Amino acid sequence: MLTFILKPCILPKMPQPSLFSLPHLTVSQLTFRIRKLLEGDPELQDVWVDGELSNVSRPASGHIYFTLKDKNASLRAIMWKTDAARLRLSLQDGMAVEAHGRIAVYEPQGQYQIIANLVQPRGEGALYQEFLRLKAMLEAEGLFDAGRKREIPQLPRKIGIVTSGTGAALRDMLNTLRRRLPLVKVVLAPAPVQGVEAPPALVAALASINRQEPDVILLARGGGSMEDLWAFNDERVVRAVAASQAPVICGVGHETDFTLCDFAADLRAPTPTAAAELATQITVLDLAGYLENMRARISSLTSDLIADQKLTVTALASRLRYVSPARRIETEQQHLDELARRSLSAFVHRNQLQAIHVRGIAHRLESLNPLAVLKRGYAVVTKKKDATVISKVRQVNAGEAIQVRVSDGTFDAEIVNPQS
Amino acid sequence: MAKSKIVEKSVEELTYEEALAELEQIVAALEGDASQNPLEEALKLFERGQALVTRCSALLEAAQLKVEKLAGDTVLPFEEESE
């Protein structure tokens, strides 16, 4: 406000103008000088401010405009779209936060403001330091060792749940279990999940749920700020998780939230719903599939068995046929036929041999026929009176009647002049 | 092996786990010494197996999530607030 409102009657003492005139600055020059002053201060360019949010507005540009205030002062603040996209919490009026950023001057309005790049619930920075310290300590103790992790049973019969008895987390988990494995029995140990009473209550709930001997325990809580989730970073709770007899699946907050209980648990789930899913790796659908498979197996085994039996019966039937009298008669018949066939052929064969033999004999007989030589000019001479064959001169006397046989007949002759 | 269990309990009295365990035994028996099982026995096993499958399926169909709540170490039925 550079305009003086002059009210001479009320202000009796006028400022005395200096004897030497001071150099004048334009508004722009002055504002630029202020800007240089603020934006040149390294401490103001990397500053944390604690305050309460008010006038939060998020226009279509995606930038977030708000005011940080405390009892006595307020500070305009802007968060650019790219930083706003990384915010883990949605900014609400009245929220106690700590903002990090740099102080800048907006010359057209003559305003200084903070360009915030990070806004988080108040105390989170300190909590995070504490988180890192505890994590390092417990890690060094070996509480988070991979070797300590136990198998999660694939088909649990009893699931223990430690969570708030009223939150959405419990409802989500029960719905998930109901959908995936309604056969399972659930035992709930309700416990407050935030505030000072939460850690001892969670420790007690883990102990009493373990006495129910569940196959697996789901330790869960819905999303919230780091402070809200803090009970799950409490050393007592972390130690109770590590000491649990039953394996623990920890599903606290959202995907991006990590608590020390996540590290100490046998399995970390990104959300309560995911914890319930990881506890039921085999679902009722899988069981139904398995059952169908069993049904098909006994069916096929039994029909195989019956087919086997049929085969055995068929084999026996054919063996029976083989040894039946009918079959023997057939065999005998065949044997007989065979013999008949063989005897017939033997007979024929012998006849042929006989015929050849007879022809041979006839031939030989032929060659022995004395009359055969007559054809070659020889003659048989016999005595006329007694038909003795004459082969020597001394058998005959001169004048004796003889008969001469040649090839085609006989004629008579008389012995003349026998000489020897 | 499965023979001793058979006909001990009617299928309707078995829990899901009991029925499934017996079903597995029956399949093993049918697979194991199929040739040694008298046919009649095998058919009985088969029928029992079928009944067990039906029982298991029915139990799966009808299963309702049972939720109990601990108050200290006392187990109480848990009533979900309806929405």
Side-chain angles (χ1 to χ4, degrees), chain A residues 157 165-166 170-171 174-175 177-178 181-190 208-209 211-212 284 287-288 290-291 294-295 297-299 301-302 305-306 309, chain B residues 16-17 20 23-24 26-27 30-31 34-35 37 39 42-43 46 49-50 53 56-57 59-60 63-70 72-73 75 78 80-81 83:
Chain A
R157 288 161 148 206
T166 53
L170 176 61
R171 201 177 57 233
L174 290 180
N175 284 339
L177 294 177
R178 190 171 290 121
L181 193 64
L183 288 170
V184 86
K185 187 172 170 187
V186 175
V187 188
L188 166 72
S208 60
I209 205 89
R211 283 193 287 276
Q212 300 296 317
V284 70
L287 288 176
Y290 179 66
L291 210 55
M294 294 283 259
R295 196 196 58 70
R297 261 164 81 197
I298 58 170
S299 245
L301 282 169
T302 310
L305 186 67
I306 290 171
Q309 292 297 321
Chain B
Y16 178 80
E17 283 79 12
L20 192 68
L23 182 58
E24 280 171 337
I26 283 180
V27 171
L30 282 173
E31 271 173 347
S35 52
N37 274 324
L39 185 60
L43 289 176
F46 171 68
Q50 295 276 48
V53 168
C56 286
S57 304
L59 285 172
L60 283 185
Q64 295 276 342
L65 194 70
K66 260 192 232 98
V67 185
E68 291 172 343
K69 185 171 105 173
L70 289 182
D73 282 335
V75 180
F78 175 72
E80 268 179 275
E81 71 267 44
E83 289 158 77

